[in-house]
């Protein structure tokens, strides 16, 4: 079956955080390459299933039954060769909710929690908003590739870190952590008795030459101190349906987390969550394969265009995700200058680096999961207003 990823569908008027908020703030002439959802329709099988459910007309309380868990198990096995017993799977609407509940349940106010920066800030803010100490271990940019500074990480672990928040693959820098890197992270967590919470939401977008490893697969010892956060939200563009599955091998940790869900009043999935996941995980493999091909084409186009028309920019080679992390410091090291160029002159919305922490200043993140014509137009606008354009 062929899928039309080139179709441009306006999201204005759909309460889109990405587009309606942009129009409200900047006007209707803006183009967005910012928020990390896709401007591409969900799989037709998902749309058809949700239409059928919508027409049913009764939107009462729902629950996840055996077919739901079988779908999750099948996906984890096919995608990551990870055989997960059903009891390990705990439904939670959003990963960020799960992270916050883990922090509340397994640490005390004032405890230290480590994360590698620059990083997706809602995860970092879950630490500070819960009155814990955010311990940042900056990634090192060496020869165009970000790496974990393990010496720095260990020094910071010695401060009594209780949880390591792992973003795997990493957002925004696009790293897919190698097995060797994950083993070193795991060894530090064992040495300093820290819980591992791994956000694997981008794990279904891994580029050629790289492989996603679920850190809990490394050993039984690691599994017993790991909480793995998964979701079809990025993969099938279902973010607003609020579906995530938190995989917790350790029974004691799992029961405490389930208790935390109940204390927060989180129980039934939404009406559309269960059918959306079941169809996505059981009937959309071909759609996802075609999507990945399309996104590879978008990625190649964006990198080539930037090299040809804005050569002073450095694209950090992505190993995973549908995001590009771009070093713009040759144009302007200050975010204010980049905003004047991209937002004000080019009329394009991107994610500016400071939104990922101070280490991100001078960088931007662009989302290439859009119809190619939209991506082309946005990049053309950026090139036309490029401050270093040759005349």
């Amino acid at each position: 079956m062929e899928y039309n990823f080139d179709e441009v569908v306006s999201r204005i008027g759909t309460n889109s955080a990405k587009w309606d908020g942009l129009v409200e703030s900047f006007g209707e002439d803006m183009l967005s390459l910012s928020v990390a959802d896709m401007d591409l329709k969900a799989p037709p099988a998902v749309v058809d299933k949700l239409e059928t459910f919508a027409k049913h007309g009764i939107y009462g309380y729902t629950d996840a039954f055996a077919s739901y868990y079988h779908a999750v198990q099948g996906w984890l096995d096919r995608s990551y060769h990870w055989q997960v017993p059903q009891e390990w799977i705990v439904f939670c609407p959003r990963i960020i909710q799960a992270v916050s509940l883990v922090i509340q349940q397994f640490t005390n106010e004032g405890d230290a929690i480590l994360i590698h920066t620059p990083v997706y800030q809602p995860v970092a803010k879950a630490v500070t908003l819960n009155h814990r100490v955010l311990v940042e271990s900056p990634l090192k940019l060496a020869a165009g590739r970000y790496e974990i500074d393990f010496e720095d990480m260990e020094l910071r672990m010695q401060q009594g870190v209780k949880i390591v928040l792992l973003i795997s693959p990493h957002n925004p820098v696009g790293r897919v952590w190698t097995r060797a890197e994950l083993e070193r992270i795991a060894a530090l967590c064992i040495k300093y008795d820290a819980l591992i919470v791994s956000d694997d939401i981008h794990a279904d977008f891994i580029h050629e030459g790289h492989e996603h490893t679920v850190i809990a697969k490394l050993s039984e010892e690691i599994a017993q101190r790991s909480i793995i956060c998964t979701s079809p939200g990025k993969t099938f563009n279902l973010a607003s349906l609020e579906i995530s599955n938190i995989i917790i091998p350790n029974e004691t940790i799992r029961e405490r987390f389930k208790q935390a869900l109940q204390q927060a009043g989180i129980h039934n999935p939404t009406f559309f969550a269960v059918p959306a996941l079941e169809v996505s995980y059981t009937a959309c493999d071909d759609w996802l394969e075609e999507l990945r091909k399309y996104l590879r084409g978008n990625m190649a186009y964006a990198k080539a265009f930037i090299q040809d028309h804005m050569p002073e920019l450095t694209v950090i080679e992505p190993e995973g995700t549908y995001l590009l992390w771009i070093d713009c410091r040759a144009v302007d090291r200050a975010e204010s200058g980049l905003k004047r160029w991209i937002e004000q002159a080019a009329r394009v919305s991107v994610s500016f680096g400071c939104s990922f922490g101070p280490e991100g200043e001078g960088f931007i993140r662009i989302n290439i999961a859009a119809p190619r014509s939209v991506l082309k137009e946005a990049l053309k606008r950026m090139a036309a207003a490029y401050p270093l354009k040759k005349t």
Side-chain angles (χ1 to χ4, degrees), residues 96 103 115 120-131 134 355:
I96 194 62
I103 289 169
I115 199 164
Y120 177 64
Q121 281 298 288
V123 176
K125 287 180 179 178
V127 177
T128 56
L129 290 173
N130 281 296
H131 308 293
L134 180 65
S355 66

Side-chain angles (χ1 to χ4, degrees), residues 88-377:
W88 290 9
I89 304 167
V90 183
F91 174 85
C92 182
R94 299 173 67 94
I95 287 176
I96 194 62
Q97 288 174 331
V99 171
S100 189
L101 289 173
V102 167
I103 289 169
Q104 294 168 15
Q105 189 71 18
F106 295 97
T107 65
N108 297 311
E109 290 192 9
D111 280 348
I113 298 174
L114 183 142
I115 199 164
H116 299 102
T117 54
V119 74
Y120 177 64
Q121 281 298 288
V123 176
K125 287 180 179 178
V127 177
T128 56
L129 290 173
N130 281 296
H131 308 293
R132 275 61 171 177
V133 176
L134 180 65
V135 177
E136 300 183 34
S137 183
L139 299 170
K140 296 187 298 185
L141 182 55
R145 186 172 189 256
Y146 280 90
E147 297 177 351
I148 295 171
D149 185 340
F150 282 101
E151 290 184 5
D152 176 83
M153 183 178 175
E154 180 156 20
L155 285 172
R156 297 174 189 273
M157 294 287 286
Q158 292 170 358
Q159 301 175 21
V161 165
K162 300 298 184 183
I163 294 176
V164 170
L165 295 178
L166 180 66
I167 313 299
S168 181
H170 194 275
N171 174 15
V173 307
R175 273 301 315 278
V176 173
W177 308 118
T178 65
R179 185 181 183 90
E181 288 171 318
L182 294 173
E183 287 173 343
R184 293 185 71 178
I185 292 170
L188 288 173
C189 290
I190 292 171
K191 183 176 180 179
Y192 296 101
D193 192 24
L195 188 65
I196 301 166
V197 179
S198 185
D199 179 353
D200 291 25
I201 196 168
H202 288 279
D204 294 318
F205 297 102
I206 306 298
H207 305 320
E208 188 175 356
H210 303 279
E211 181 179 358
H212 177 69
T213 300
V214 178
I215 195 168
K217 286 182 60 184
L218 294 179
S219 71
E220 178 62 20
E221 185 178 19
I222 299 307
Q224 290 301 310
R225 64 171 64 245
S226 294
I227 296 174
I228 309 300
C229 304
T230 71
S231 171
K234 301 293 184 190
T235 311
F236 300 100
N237 209 22
L238 309 176
S240 68
L241 298 188
E242 299 204 328
I243 319 166
S244 72
N245 292 286
I246 313 305
I247 317 300
I248 311 176
N250 184 298
E251 183 179 4
T252 301
I253 294 174
R254 185 169 65 249
E255 291 306 313
R256 285 183 62 183
F257 178 72
K258 290 165 73 172
Q259 177 70 17
L261 286 173
Q262 293 179 25
Q263 290 171 334
I266 298 172
H267 39 89
N268 301 79
T270 63
F271 182 76
F272 294 108
V274 172
L277 177 134
E278 290 183 1
V279 172
S280 296
Y281 276 176
T282 61
C284 296
D285 287 23
D286 60 335
W287 178 89
L288 181 57
E289 186 55 38
E290 291 303 311
L291 171 69
R292 287 168 172 155
K293 291 179 184 176
Y294 189 82
L295 295 182
R296 284 198 294 271
N298 275 5
M299 194 76 73
Y301 176 85
K303 291 192 294 184
F305 185 94
I306 290 168
Q307 177 60 42
D308 290 344
H309 300 279
M310 297 175 280
E312 291 80 11
L313 304 185
T314 300
V315 177
I316 305 302
E317 186 63 31
E319 299 174 355
T321 80
Y322 50 70
L323 309 166
L324 280 182
W325 184 242
I326 303 171
D327 186 347
C328 302
R329 290 175 296 178
V331 174
D332 202 318
R333 301 186 75 90
E335 189 157 293
S336 56
L338 296 179
K339 286 186 173 183
R340 282 193 296 271
W341 160 37
I342 300 171
E343 278 186 347
Q344 297 174 25
R347 307 299 289 164
V348 174
S349 173
V350 301
S351 298
F352 289 96
C354 283
S355 66
F356 301 94
E359 294 87 359
E361 185 160 20
F363 291 75
I364 62 171
R365 190 196 73 179
I366 68 170
N367 176 359
I368 57 90
R372 196 157 300 155
S373 61
V374 174
L375 177 64
K376 287 181 176 180
E377 175 60 24

